[in-house]
């Protein structure tokens, strides 16, 4: 059985490659619903076009046993869904049945595939969408009355984040990238002593903003959230000085 020459008759490309930001540059990932997406799952057409009509039909040869040794985005960051390069290193099953010239290159539908004599490398593009997270105040903010709306310097972490899954459902880690952290600011809504469930308003922010979208429990964009706070009364101490006068009857 002679080998089939694999030339311009080889059609190979990808479906749309995308994932939500998860802190790494791997194409393979598990989505917010817990569904695993393999890197091979994005491979679309992969056949030898025997009749030359550009579509897979009767008489064409489907290449089976394709596995990805690696599949990565150029960057782990979303940068607000910026399109970026994606590179696959591939193994093809039963490749011994084909005569392939080292250095061969194929281009189809935005995908370039090259062969170096032992390994196929495919380059295409993909997007990492911002990770949707729900913001929740980390706790009640308490201070002693000082005449301002400022939060105390001891307030610590202001906002916790969880991963948005679907309307009314948020679970799992919100901020996943190395160094990603809350950058929100806040202030009391009044200067006077008192307490309440909505006494503190936060302006929401994350330091690596291009990788996240802050949403409410229904998935709508959120820029502020309110939380509990207490302004305790300040102790007032009154001192009197010594009073002296000359007897006057």
């Amino acid at each position: 059985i002679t080998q089939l020459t694999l030339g311009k008759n080889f059609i190979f490309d990808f479906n749309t490659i995308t994932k939500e930001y998860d802190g790494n540059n791997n194409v393979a990932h598990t989505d917010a619903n817990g569904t695993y997406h393999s890197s091979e799952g994005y491979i679309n057409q992969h056949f030898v076009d025997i009749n030359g009509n550009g579509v897979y039909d009767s008489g064409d040869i489907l290449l089976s046993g394709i596995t990805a040794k690696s599949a990565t985005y150029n960057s782990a960051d979303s940068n607000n869904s910026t399109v970026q390069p994606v590179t696959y290193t591939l193994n093809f099953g039963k490749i011994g049945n084909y005569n392939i010239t080292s250095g061969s290159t194929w281009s189809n539908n935005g995908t370039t595939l090259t062969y170096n004599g032992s390994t196929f490398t495919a380059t295409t593009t993909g997007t990492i969408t911002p990770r949707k997270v729900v913001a929740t105040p980390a706790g009640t903010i308490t201070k002693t009355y000082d005449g301002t709306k400022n939060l105390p310097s001891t307030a610590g972490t202001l906002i916790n984040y969880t991963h948005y899954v679907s309307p009314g459902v948020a679970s799992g880690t919100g901020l996943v990238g190395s160094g990603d952290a809350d950058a929100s600011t806040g202030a009391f809504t009044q200067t006077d002593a008192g307490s309440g469930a909505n006494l503190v308003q936060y302006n929401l922010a994350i330091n690596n903003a291009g990788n996240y979208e802050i949403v409410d429990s229904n998935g709508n964009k959120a820029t502020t959230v309110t939380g509990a706070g207490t302004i305790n009364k300040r102790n007032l101490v009154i001192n009197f000085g010594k009073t002296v006068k000359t007897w006057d009857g």
Side-chain angles (χ1 to χ4, degrees):
I1 299 176
T2 59
Q3 292 178 316
L4 175 66
T5 297
L6 204 60
K8 297 301 180 183
N9 57 346
F10 182 33
I11 305 297
F12 184 91
D13 60 17
F14 291 94
N15 293 308
T16 299
I17 299 175
T18 187
K19 71 170 182 175
E20 188 182 47
Y21 174 71
D22 58 5
N24 67 67
N25 68 339
N26 297 325
V27 171
H29 66 281
T30 300
D31 65 25
N33 293 306
T35 301
Y36 178 73
H37 300 265
S38 69
S39 50
E40 290 88 353
Y42 290 100
I43 296 173
N44 184 25
Q45 301 181 106
H46 49 284
F47 66 94
V48 182
D49 187 16
I50 299 298
N51 58 21
N53 65 354
V55 296
Y56 180 68
D57 52 21
S58 178
D60 291 338
I61 301 174
L62 188 70
L63 273 72
S64 59
I66 301 175
T67 58
K69 295 172 63 178
S70 65
T72 57
Y73 289 86
N74 186 60
S75 168
D77 293 325
S78 167
N79 292 318
N80 293 313
S81 297
T82 299
V83 176
Q84 59 173 298
V86 173
T87 302
Y88 274 68
T89 302
L90 299 162
N91 283 331
F92 283 72
K94 299 183 179 180
I95 201 64
N97 292 329
Y98 302 93
N99 177 30
I100 313 170
T101 302
S102 180
S104 295
T105 299
W106 301 265
S107 294
N108 291 287
N109 300 324
T111 296
T112 299
L113 184 70
T114 59
Y115 180 67
N116 68 359
S118 61
T119 303
F120 287 90
T121 300
T123 57
T124 186
T125 57
T127 56
I128 299 176
T129 60
R131 186 178 185 85
K132 290 186 176 182
V133 293
V134 177
T136 305
T140 300
I141 303 294
T142 301
K143 75 169 184 176
T144 299
Y145 172 76
D146 61 3
T148 75
K149 294 181 179 180
N150 299 335
L151 300 187
S153 59
T154 56
T157 300
L158 300 181
I159 299 293
N160 292 328
Y161 295 91
T162 50
H163 190 195
Y164 175 83
V165 178
S166 60
V169 180
S171 64
T173 304
L175 307 187
V176 293
S178 176
D180 293 349
D182 177 48
S184 301
T185 58
F188 284 93
T189 57
Q190 66 184 46
T191 59
D192 296 331
S195 62
N198 300 305
L199 198 63
V200 180
Q201 178 167 299
Y202 301 93
N203 295 313
L204 301 173
I206 297 170
N207 65 347
N208 200 350
N211 287 333
Y212 294 95
E213 180 183 356
I214 303 172
V215 298
D216 62 19
S217 60
N218 292 314
N220 301 310
K221 184 177 180 179
T223 57
T224 62
V225 68
T226 57
T230 297
I231 301 177
N232 293 319
K233 294 180 180 181
R234 192 176 192 89
N235 292 331
L236 183 62
V237 178
I238 301 175
N239 293 314
F240 293 93
K242 184 178 181 180
T243 302
V244 179
K245 78 168 186 176
T246 301
W247 183 82
D248 59 1

